[in-house]
Amino acid sequence: LTRTAVYQSISAGRRAQLHQRAAAVTAGTEALHHRVAAAVEPAADLVADLVHAARAEVGRGARHQAARLLLTAAELAPTGERDDLLLDAAHHLLVIGQPIGEHLPAIEALGETPRRGVALGRIRMAEGRLHEARTLLEAAWAAGGEATLPPEERAAAAEALAVIGISTLDTDAVIRWSDELGAAGPTTLATTLR
């Protein structure tokens, strides 16, 4: 309580200076957190470092931490990069079955793209809104060829559509989307399931 009171009594500019100094004498994620706390405007180098750290977390299997880093990066990124960072974070949360929570309105507000459609489709599936999920996922699949959807998200869309097929007893859908999922290849499947 005392620590928080002291911290809050320091001006924002002074706190930023202290965090900059702390970042200079620490390393790894601790330094990164201090750099974030010191940031007062979009910073491309900091965003790149956050994305790099997020990739490392995915490699360790720590998708929740990766999502947190990507959400932080989205807050600090120039406008043109925010959407992809938000969708990357959503993907990692969805893979591990975590709710999107307070970030759902931001995802819903994004322009219609295949990546947004996949994210919203997977969210609607988790909510039990299977018809809406199928519509969103099939539209995203049709609009988003391999060049538009990252392989891992493409595989996640096929997986979700196969599960919806199972849930709705649609054997043709189960077969189609299972074949699409299998066509993604073992590397993509291993990454999706990690």
Side-chain angles (χ1 to χ4, degrees):
L1 188 60
T2 303
R3 181 179 182 182
T4 302
V6 170
Y7 185 81
Q8 294 301 323
S9 71
I10 301 171
S11 72
R14 181 70 178 138
R15 281 197 305 261
Q17 289 174 338
L18 292 171
H19 280 295
Q20 286 171 341
R21 286 184 184 169
V25 297
T26 57
T29 55
E30 186 177 359
L32 199 53
H33 290 298
H34 284 297
R35 289 176 58 206
V36 167
V40 291
E41 59 187 33
D45 61 329
L46 179 54
V47 169
D49 290 345
L50 287 163
V51 170
H52 179 75
R55 286 188 185 125
E57 293 296 337
V58 170
R60 291 185 328 103
R63 286 184 184 262
H64 191 268
Q65 181 61 22
R68 289 180 52 209
L69 290 165
L70 290 166
L71 290 169
T72 300
E75 292 173 11
L76 297 170
T79 304
E81 296 175 36
R82 290 181 185 154
D83 295 0
D84 282 336
L85 292 167
L86 177 60
L87 290 170
D88 289 344
H91 171 71
H92 293 302
L93 290 171
L94 289 163
V95 166
I96 61 173
Q98 292 295 307
I100 301 301
E102 67 196 48
H103 305 290
L104 179 57
I107 293 169
E108 291 173 329
L110 297 176
E112 289 194 27
T113 65
R115 289 193 72 207
R116 174 189 176 267
V118 169
L120 284 177
R122 292 166 67 202
I123 291 166
R124 298 299 183 248
M125 186 180 95
E127 295 170 340
R129 296 162 61 179
L130 301 183
H131 178 72
E132 187 179 351
R134 179 183 298 188
T135 300
L136 286 162
L137 289 163
E138 287 178 346
W141 186 274
E146 291 179 24
T148 308
L149 283 172
E152 190 176 333
E153 290 178 36
R154 198 166 162 77
E159 176 188 41
L161 285 162
V163 169
I164 292 169
I166 292 168
S167 299
T168 59
L169 304 176
D170 183 345
T171 54
D172 291 335
V174 174
I175 292 168
R176 176 186 177 197
W177 295 112
S178 296
D179 287 346
E180 292 287 359
L181 185 58
T187 303
T188 302
L189 288 175
T191 305
T192 302
L193 299 173
R194 185 183 312 160

